[in-house]
Amino acid sequence: MNTQSEAFSDTSTSVEVRKIKAGPPLSWVVDSFRLIRRHWKTILLAYLIVTVASVLIQVGIASLGAQRPGFGLFVLVLVGVFVAIVLQAGMAAVFHGAAEKQPRIQDVFRGFRGRSVLSMILLLVAMILVALAFGLVTYLLVRLFGAGDAMSGLFSPRESYGYTMGALMGGSSLVLGFVLLGTAVVMALFCYAMPLIIIADEGVISAMSNSFRASFKNLFVLCIFGMNMAAIYFLVMIVPMIGGALSTSLIVFGVVMGLASWLFGLVINGAYYLSFRDVLLPASAQQAATAE
């Protein structure tokens, strides 16, 4: 048996950045549902572990936060967020095992092994630093082009109201353009970084680089995928929303909506993994996964 296709193997999976056609977005959802249906025992149990662990972490942080506010709480929040993120990222490894016909529940903990856990810690640090840098530059641009032009126009008797508003609009457009472009860059850097670390056993810099390349090569497809997910979520939630509302019970309504959201999240996890598989794993892996 090829160790490269093993779900919880120490052998890293090779990566091949590819540009794909615009057809897959909806097929990712359909194939995710089929993958869950074939291996529902393993996938549902793994996702239940992730959900329960995430809820317990939130409850624990909330209860301890009321007793021990301060720096200790900040550290606790970081640790809790890290554990929840790594568990959630482990779902990609679970789906990878299912796609390779070797489903394993323990793959959900794959991000906690030796090199992966260190890379995940460094990735979280990189996320924080990039977010801080992006926020700082945005703030400086707002101060420079938003408030600066406005204040110079307001306090200058020679500048007309129209000139001041024009300066404001020009600055706002520049800031908005930077925010949109910066958001796209940040999302591209980290979109597939976690599965690249957990599944392909890549380092942080390599994972961010390949994630960036794959995301921008397939920017149009991924945007269509995001819009499809928003539309599908709206359509899926209409039925349980109506059913829960007709029950006239807030408890029933909450349970129905929570269950629908939970199942939708599970399908989206699978669709996300399949998008990762299509744009970053070698073509041979695609053929192995579809040959059933």
Side-chain angles (χ1 to χ4, degrees):
M1 182 178 296
N2 187 358
T3 57
Q4 184 170 314
S5 65
E6 291 182 6
F8 202 66
S9 171
D10 288 330
T11 304
S12 60
T13 301
S14 58
V15 172
E16 178 185 318
V17 178
R18 292 194 311 280
K19 181 178 178 60
I20 59 176
K21 297 180 180 179
L26 283 178
S27 68
W28 289 334
V29 178
V30 175
D31 291 341
S32 172
F33 179 78
R34 291 173 178 170
L35 202 58
I36 294 170
R37 185 181 59 184
R38 287 196 296 267
H39 307 284
W40 65 272
K41 291 182 180 179
T42 301
I43 295 176
L44 283 179
L45 183 55
Y47 194 54
L48 184 62
I49 291 173
V50 173
T51 305
V52 172
S54 300
V55 171
L56 290 178
I57 288 171
Q58 294 177 25
V59 172
I61 291 175
S63 60
L64 292 176
Q67 302 173 3
R68 299 179 179 179
F71 181 74
L73 176 61
F74 175 73
V75 174
L76 182 64
V77 170
L78 281 182
V79 173
V81 169
F82 173 75
V83 172
I85 288 176
V86 175
L87 284 174
Q88 180 62 48
M91 284 303 301
V94 174
F95 276 102
H96 180 64
E100 298 288 339
K101 304 177 187 178
Q102 299 180 40
R104 301 182 183 186
I105 296 174
Q106 62 265 36
D107 279 359
V108 76
F109 304 108
R110 186 168 181 173
F112 293 102
R113 65 177 183 173
R115 177 180 172 180
S116 293
V117 69
L118 177 60
S119 296
M120 291 296 291
I121 292 174
L122 294 176
L123 182 66
L124 180 60
V125 172
M127 287 180 176
I128 295 173
L129 293 177
V130 169
L132 289 175
F134 179 53
L136 177 61
V137 174
T138 302
Y139 171 77
L140 292 176
L141 286 176
V142 169
R143 295 284 297 177
L144 180 62
F145 294 102
D149 289 342
M151 294 303 291
S152 64
L154 288 174
F155 289 100
S156 176
R158 294 178 297 178
E159 302 295 351
S160 65
Y161 176 78
Y163 178 86
T164 302
M165 293 305 297
L168 274 172
M169 292 299 293
S172 299
S173 299
L174 180 62
V175 173
L176 179 60
F178 170 79
V179 169
L180 292 176
L181 179 60
T183 301
V185 170
V186 172
M187 292 183 66
L189 281 172
F190 300 109
C191 181
Y192 294 117
M194 290 183 186
L196 281 168
I197 289 173
I198 293 178
I199 296 174
D201 199 26
E202 292 203 333
V204 176
I205 301 301
S206 178
M208 292 172 60
S209 174
N210 282 325
S211 174
F212 182 84
R213 291 168 54 212
S215 298
F216 266 91
K217 272 191 174 184
N218 300 278
L219 184 61
F220 176 74
V221 176
L222 294 178
C223 287
I224 296 297
F225 176 58
M227 290 187 290
N228 285 341
M229 292 307 95
I232 292 174
Y233 180 75
F234 176 75
L235 294 175
V236 167
M237 296 304 292
I238 287 179
V239 175
M241 186 179 296
I242 295 175
L246 292 176
S247 69
T248 67
S249 171
L250 290 177
I251 296 178
V252 174
F253 178 78
V255 169
V256 171
M257 294 296 292
L259 182 60
S261 298
W262 187 79
L263 292 174
F264 181 79
L266 177 60
V267 175
I268 293 305
N269 267 271
Y272 166 74
Y273 163 73
L274 291 171
S275 71
F276 161 76
R277 190 179 187 89
D278 272 351
V279 303
L280 278 162
L281 296 193
S284 58
Q286 317 301 317
Q287 298 171 359
T290 56
E292 295 192 3

